[in-house]
Amino acid sequence: MGSNFEELVVEALESLPEDIARRMENVEIVIEHEPSDDVVADLDPGDTVFGYYLGIPLIERSNYDAVLPDRIAIYEGPLTRAFQSPEAIREEVRRTVIHEIAHHFGIDDRRLDELGWG
């Protein structure tokens, strides 16, 4: 994974409002080159995935002690293939990071679509 891509993910995380960043709880954000076969199997044919949230959203947690962190994966390969210019990659990385963090907070895809973040 290129350090430039990692810098884009860090930049996206640093752009979050402080109150949002502070409320993120027990979640790990990782960069992977490609989605796993399990993630791809969940997609509709022809769909591309740029990021994936795996975990229990904050609004659904109770008795949440001694559990592994939720996981947000950002996929470098699909993002860099789909967007050519550095500016477009930067914007889509930010959009993907925010989209997956929204899932961490319990916002589903339908609502993200309504908000223009689908």
Side-chain angles (χ1 to χ4, degrees), residues 1-117:
M1 279 170 260
S3 63
N4 187 42
F5 191 84
E6 292 171 29
E7 290 171 11
L8 295 177
V9 173
V10 169
E11 180 182 298
L13 290 168
E14 290 176 346
S15 76
L16 295 173
E18 188 175 322
D19 60 329
I20 298 290
R22 189 174 48 246
R23 289 187 175 120
M24 291 177 60
E25 189 176 303
N26 200 32
V27 62
E28 171 186 40
I29 298 172
V30 298
I31 298 168
E32 295 181 358
H33 188 68
E34 299 291 337
S36 69
D37 291 340
D38 290 340
V39 169
V40 172
D42 284 344
L43 299 175
D44 290 330
D47 281 356
T48 301
V49 64
F50 300 136
Y52 191 79
Y53 170 73
L54 179 64
I56 300 171
L58 291 175
I59 63 170
E60 296 177 16
R61 293 181 183 180
S62 63
N63 299 325
Y64 198 76
D65 296 325
V67 297
L68 292 174
D70 290 1
R71 192 166 187 275
I72 292 173
I74 306 299
Y75 302 118
E76 182 177 7
L79 279 160
T80 56
R81 284 191 300 273
F83 301 91
Q84 305 307 308
S85 76
E87 298 82 19
I89 293 170
R90 169 178 274 112
E91 179 56 34
E92 193 58 36
V93 165
R94 182 174 184 277
R95 182 178 188 82
T96 300
V97 167
I98 290 169
H99 180 105
E100 300 309 327
I101 288 172
H103 289 318
H104 174 65
F105 283 95
I107 302 171
D108 64 16
D109 282 330
R110 185 185 56 75
R111 182 65 179 136
L112 283 168
D113 286 342
E114 291 170 359
L115 296 170
W117 287 93

